Amino acid sequence: MKITKVEAIPFAIPYRKPLRFASGEVHVADHVLVRVHTDEGLVGTAEAPPRPYTYGETQESIVAVVDKIFAPQITGLSALGREQVHARLERTVGNPTAKSALDMALWDVIGQAAGMSVSELLGGWSDRMRVSHMVGFAPADEMVAEAERIRDTYGISTFKVKVGRRPYRQDVDACRALRTALGDDVCLYIDGNRGWSASDSARALREMADLDLDLAEELCPADDVLGRRWLVSRSSIPFVADESVPTPADVTRELLGGSATAISIKTARTGFTSSTQVLNQCEAMGVEVVIGNQIDGQIGTLCSVAFGAAHRATTRRAGELSNFLDMTDDLLTEPLVISDGILRVREGAGLGLVVDPEKLARYRQDH
């Protein structure tokens, strides 16, 4: 089963409202649909979300690197030969979401060829995950209103609160308002996207010590090496590395260096193959993991839940699987449904996804 063609199709779908956080904000899902075709007629599909403020990739750069570098290197290889494919991709540094989309599209092909779901191939632990919802920057009353709406509409009871604004106390106040409004039964954790200094992070954690937060993620930059280690050593809750660990080697470095005590796994960043490596590292070291969200559309979310549900360790915490709710539309013929706080793995071989050709024609940007 040979790879005969690789497509990178840019598309853009607006969000209902901007999602704001310390490292940037998103108004439009200007993503790239990646397809891998084979000589047996099977087509694997995945989605690459450019995040220039995190990984340096843009929609244009993803299309260019796939079309001009990756496609010529992997066309003609066996779709089953993931090691061969990765060896070719690794000749080029960076470009994590472009590489990950290709990896996941290949897994989609392999699942279709085997007549099995990707989630079963990856581990098959469960067919569902509990869902966590991200609450972005806004006045505290608006953040509370959004969380209450999401809880009441979708049954979601875990919320990741974006923090990292300055002065830090406005985020402390927002978290306190959320805890007061939502009660003690809801799980809250925070993500600073590197927005605070280590000292402000320590002050904020101290002032929120009574809010029963579950996790703290990337409150200050990992590049502030000694400050980050100082902060993590004083944190009474798990400190999650996310954008500071784009590769398995970075995971090892940050954990052994004392700059994190938990890891966010994002299939948009490490695909299925490297995500498995990261998960195995974390399990071997006794480190907790959470399934993160790259502000994915429904295709990316399907990939996240397929991986997250496949493994026991990744189902222990709710996965960040709901940001597609903020998009005005999507590309799937059958939209994802979150019910009672749960998202299920899509049935069918491979990833079980079907792209609506009319929607793709409407939103693609390469006409």
Side-chain angles (χ1 to χ4, degrees), residues 288-342:
E288 286 192 87
V289 295
V290 62
I291 291 294
N293 192 305
Q294 205 62 52
I295 322 179
D296 301 304
Q298 293 193 23
I299 295 172
T301 302
L302 265 182
C303 292
S304 294
V305 74
F307 182 85
H311 305 282
R312 179 170 47 177
T314 44
T315 57
R316 289 178 181 142
R317 291 189 177 275
E320 297 163 11
L321 303 167
S322 65
N323 276 108
F324 70 87
L325 296 173
D326 292 327
M327 292 172 62
T328 56
D329 202 354
D330 217 292
L331 298 182
L332 295 184
T333 57
E334 183 183 348
L336 301 186
V337 176
I338 297 172
S339 179
D340 295 326
I342 297 292

Side-chain angles (χ1 to χ4, degrees), residues 18-34:
L19 180 61
R20 295 187 169 92
F21 38 93
S23 58
E25 60 183 60
V26 175
H27 297 259
V28 176
D30 52 350
H31 296 180
V32 180
L33 184 72
V34 174

Side-chain angles (χ1 to χ4, degrees), residues 342-356:
I342 297 292
L343 180 63
R344 294 176 179 270
V345 174
R346 185 61 57 86
E347 293 182 356
L351 289 169
L353 63 86
V354 179
V355 172
D356 186 321

Side-chain angles (χ1 to χ4, degrees), residues 211-239:
L211 297 186
D212 193 27
L213 299 177
D214 265 35
L215 305 165
E217 181 178 310
E218 296 284 6
L219 299 186
C220 67
D223 287 348
D224 298 342
V225 178
L226 294 181
R228 172 77 163 248
R229 291 178 183 173
W230 171 84
L231 174 65
V232 172
S233 71
R234 284 156 176 76
S235 177
S236 61
I237 56 177
F239 196 102

Side-chain angles (χ1 to χ4, degrees), residues 1-6 35-45 73-86 88-89 101-114 118 121 272-273:
M1 186 167 57
K2 302 293 185 183
I3 298 169
T4 56
K5 185 173 72 170
V6 178
R35 286 172 162 168
V36 175
H37 298 253
T38 70
D39 61 357
E40 294 189 4
L42 300 179
V43 181
T45 305
Q73 289 180 344
I74 68 173
T75 298
L77 295 180
S78 168
L80 302 175
R82 290 180 295 103
E83 286 289 301
Q84 288 284 344
V85 171
H86 278 273
R88 303 284 179 92
L89 299 182
L102 287 167
D103 175 76
M104 292 187 290
L106 281 172
W107 274 94
D108 188 22
V109 167
I110 293 167
Q112 292 175 51
V118 167
L121 290 173
F272 294 140
T273 301

Side-chain angles (χ1 to χ4, degrees), residues 117-199:
S117 77
V118 167
S119 198
E120 289 175 317
L121 290 173
L122 289 168
W125 172 254
S126 176
D127 66 350
R128 68 194 69 186
M129 281 196 77
R130 291 179 295 120
V131 176
S132 169
H133 183 71
M134 289 200 303
V135 181
F137 288 167
D141 59 338
E142 294 180 17
M143 296 171 71
V144 168
E146 178 188 355
E148 290 179 328
R149 178 182 64 83
I150 293 294
R151 178 196 59 188
D152 296 344
T153 304
Y154 301 101
I156 293 172
S157 59
T158 301
F159 294 91
K160 174 177 181 174
V161 185
K162 291 293 188 179
V163 298
R165 291 177 286 189
R166 301 188 185 192
Y168 71 88
R169 282 195 175 87
Q170 61 185 313
D171 288 329
V172 172
D173 292 343
C175 289
R176 190 166 298 281
L178 284 162
R179 174 58 78 201
T180 300
L182 299 174
D184 295 335
D185 293 337
V186 163
C187 170
L188 293 179
Y189 60 108
I190 56 175
D191 176 13
N193 292 112
R194 315 179 306 281
W196 286 334
S197 64
S199 57

